[in-house]
Amino acid sequence: MDHCELTTEPINVGAVARRVVPPECGATVTLDGYARRFTTRDSKVIETEYLVYEAYEEMALKEMQKLAAKAKEDFAISNVGIVHRTGKIEIGETSVVISVAAPHRKDAFAACEWLIKELKRTVPIWKKEIYADGEAWSEGEAAE
Amino acid sequence: MDHCELTTEPINVGAVARRVVPPECGATVTLDGYARRFTTRDSKVIETEYLVYEAYEEMALKEMQKLAAKAKEDFAISNVGIVHRTGKIEIGETSVVISVAAPHRKDAFAACEWLIKELKRTVPIWKKEIYADGEAWSEGEAAE
Amino acid sequence: MSDMRINVLFFGATADIVGKRREELEVDGEVSAGSILDELRTRFPYLAAQKLHISIEQEYASSDSIVKAGDEIAIFTSVSGG
Amino acid sequence: MSDMRINVLFFGATADIVGKRREELEVDGEVSAGSILDELRTRFPYLAAQKLHISIEQEYASSDSIVKAGDEIAIFTSVSGG
């Protein structure tokens, strides 16, 4: 019932959350990450026009599945859904959704927070930010 | 941009999450609570057929708005969406959605977890569980 | 002070116990929320078994909160939304 | 041992730096991931400025991991998904 997916299509956040719901669960916690217009770098506010995400698809899926399996080992949760979009993403569109269903919401919160942290650290996907006057590959969370 | 609502219609989880997104934010954390089929009471597993939620509507909305305001005081978040459904809710349908948008996801996780805990403690809404052989008003989180 | 009428609303378990959703009480002048609770527990003995909350004008109130003429009062058991 | 061919994939910043998404390397028998990195840094000097990660058969590898004939290797900078 876990669900890991890469897609170039818009992500339906509610549908991902719904995929992972088993009958013993009462709560799903969902992290919805999306392209934001403004970011701060070196205390300068930068306006992004859109994003492009590139994935090493086979490896990214393997790493996503590993994270789902590890989360189920370490937290009292039932199911995990991880969907990451690739290609061009407009401002405001969802780039990643992580949904965790658990009998008790506390475990769902903890696992979801862990999963997004690890996804940003290990899953081979790269974000390019496109500005009015150029573009740059993001250096990831470590650099933020 | 906060959004507190009571509705008797099915809740679109993704749409609630989207309502609260301002341009400086990169993450929304959403708690999706729904009617579960099985609950454990006095170490006996009970099967629920459906739920009925009743609200003291004017006061519930006031309390939801207070929670949203307090969360924005206490956490570095931008917007809060709280929607609770009332009336009959089938198994698997969403009863409550809380979405929190924040520049940094850590704050969104913390605020969302706080909001659902407080909603269950203070907002005047009551849940009736209907079984094959009877029904009972839930005694809330304190009794679980 | 003259007599006054107070509207009391019931929800969930308290509505089931009293068999109605609204009750009009007549009281002599200003009263405390606690004395309204006492009066209701006398009229509806099954309420006495419940831990009850009271609100005045849609705000949580304590037993010694003062109820004024025309206030909307509600009596309910612990909430269980979510 | 005989010569062998290794496929190296590039993604994101490394693909931009080397100007392609795939490179075939010929190496003498078994080699370490580290020696492949060294070879690529020599061919594409701009790579030397980057903190690089290497994967073998779609698993993260360290510099002393052994690369076998036919293995799929990938070279990339720190990931930035999410």
Side-chain angles (χ1 to χ4, degrees):
Chain A
M1 289 259 296
D2 290 337
H3 177 72
C4 295
E5 182 187 345
L6 291 167
T7 178
T8 57
E9 298 296 309
I11 300 175
N12 180 331
V13 178
V16 177
R18 255 330 132 96
R19 269 182 175 278
V20 299
V21 176
E24 75 274 17
C25 285
T28 300
V29 171
T30 301
L31 181 285
D32 172 10
Y34 34 80
R36 57 178 149 184
R37 183 171 301 282
F38 300 108
T39 44
T40 308
R41 187 171 299 165
D42 305 331
S43 57
K44 226 181 67 183
V45 173
I46 299 176
E47 181 168 357
T48 304
E49 303 217 318
Y50 61 91
L51 301 177
V52 174
Y53 282 90
E54 180 180 328
Y56 180 7
E57 295 208 2
E58 303 86 340
M59 182 171 166
L61 274 172
K62 279 190 190 180
E63 291 291 323
M64 285 154 73
Q65 285 152 0
K66 275 188 210 170
L67 289 181
K70 184 75 162 58
K72 287 167 71 172
E73 266 179 47
D74 292 353
F75 300 90
I77 60 176
S78 298
N79 289 308
V80 169
I82 306 175
V83 178
H84 204 299
R85 189 168 164 194
T86 57
K88 181 176 178 178
I89 298 190
E90 303 289 348
I91 298 303
E93 289 189 318
T94 293
S95 54
V96 63
V97 171
I98 300 183
S99 274
V100 178
H104 301 286
R105 65 177 189 273
K106 192 181 164 63
D107 305 304
F109 275 109
C112 189
E113 196 164 4
W114 180 82
L115 280 162
I116 181 65
K117 180 169 64 79
E118 289 299 298
L119 179 143
K120 285 173 174 258
R121 198 176 66 82
T122 65
V123 177
I125 299 176
W126 299 271
K127 174 169 71 173
K128 185 186 263 182
E129 293 167 354
I130 288 79
Y131 321 113
D133 60 350
E135 56 180 51
W137 287 102
S138 164
E139 292 175 13
E141 189 113 300
E144 274 176 16
Chain B
M1 288 258 298
D2 292 336
H3 178 72
C4 296
E5 181 188 346
L6 291 167
T7 177
T8 57
E9 298 298 307
I11 300 175
N12 181 332
V13 178
V16 178
R18 255 329 132 94
R19 268 181 175 279
V20 299
V21 176
E24 74 274 17
C25 286
T28 299
V29 171
T30 301
L31 181 283
D32 172 11
Y34 34 80
R36 57 178 149 184
R37 183 172 299 285
F38 300 108
T39 43
T40 307
R41 188 171 298 164
D42 304 333
S43 57
K44 227 180 68 182
V45 173
I46 298 176
E47 181 167 357
T48 304
E49 302 217 320
Y50 62 91
L51 301 177
V52 174
Y53 283 89
E54 181 180 330
Y56 180 6
E57 296 208 2
E58 303 85 343
M59 182 172 167
L61 274 172
K62 280 190 189 179
E63 291 292 324
M64 285 155 72
Q65 285 152 0
K66 277 187 210 169
L67 289 182
K70 184 75 162 60
K72 287 167 72 171
E73 266 181 49
D74 292 355
F75 300 90
I77 60 177
S78 298
N79 288 308
V80 170
I82 306 177
V83 179
H84 203 300
R85 189 168 165 196
T86 57
K88 182 176 178 179
I89 298 190
E90 304 290 348
I91 299 303
E93 289 189 318
T94 293
S95 53
V96 64
V97 171
I98 299 182
S99 274
V100 179
H104 301 286
R105 65 177 188 275
K106 190 179 167 62
D107 305 303
F109 275 109
C112 189
E113 195 164 3
W114 180 83
L115 280 163
I116 180 65
K117 178 168 66 76
E118 290 299 299
L119 177 142
K120 285 174 175 257
R121 197 175 67 80
T122 65
V123 177
I125 299 176
W126 299 270
K127 174 169 72 174
K128 185 187 262 181
E129 295 168 352
I130 288 82
Y131 321 113
D133 60 350
E135 57 179 50
W137 287 102
S138 165
E139 292 176 13
E141 189 115 297
E144 274 174 13
Chain C
M1 282 190 139
S2 57
D3 284 3
M4 65 180 197
R5 286 166 190 278
I6 291 167
N7 267 315
V8 182
L9 309 179
F10 304 98
F11 294 95
T14 60
D16 283 2
I17 288 169
V18 305
K20 54 181 105 175
R21 307 205 141 263
R22 178 182 292 270
E23 171 88 341
E24 210 178 65
L25 288 186
E26 263 182 63
V27 295
D28 298 332
E30 272 188 355
V31 292
S32 69
S35 64
I36 291 179
L37 274 175
D38 290 342
E39 166 70 16
L40 290 166
R41 287 193 180 103
T42 305
R43 289 199 198 187
F44 307 103
Y46 283 114
L47 282 181
Q50 303 286 330
K51 176 166 171 16
L52 295 179
H53 300 270
I54 188 165
S55 65
I56 303 174
E57 287 292 289
Q58 302 156 12
E59 300 282 344
Y60 279 99
S62 58
S63 290
D64 54 2
S65 303
I66 296 301
V67 178
K68 300 187 303 299
D71 277 354
E72 181 178 291
I73 305 298
I75 308 289
F76 47 82
T77 58
S78 292
V79 305
S80 53
Chain D
M1 283 191 140
S2 57
D3 284 3
M4 65 179 196
R5 284 168 191 279
I6 291 168
N7 267 315
V8 182
L9 308 179
F10 304 98
F11 294 93
T14 60
D16 283 2
I17 289 169
V18 305
K20 54 180 107 174
R21 307 203 141 263
R22 178 184 291 270
E23 172 88 342
E24 211 178 64
L25 289 186
E26 263 183 63
V27 296
D28 298 332
E30 273 187 355
V31 291
S32 69
S35 64
I36 291 180
L37 275 175
D38 291 342
E39 166 70 17
L40 290 166
R41 288 194 180 104
T42 305
R43 289 200 196 185
F44 307 104
Y46 281 114
L47 282 181
Q50 303 287 327
K51 178 166 172 13
L52 296 178
H53 299 270
I54 188 166
S55 65
I56 303 174
E57 288 292 288
Q58 301 155 13
E59 300 282 345
Y60 278 98
S62 58
S63 290
D64 54 4
S65 302
I66 296 301
V67 178
K68 299 187 306 299
D71 277 354
E72 180 178 293
I73 305 298
I75 308 289
F76 47 83
T77 58
S78 292
V79 304
S80 53

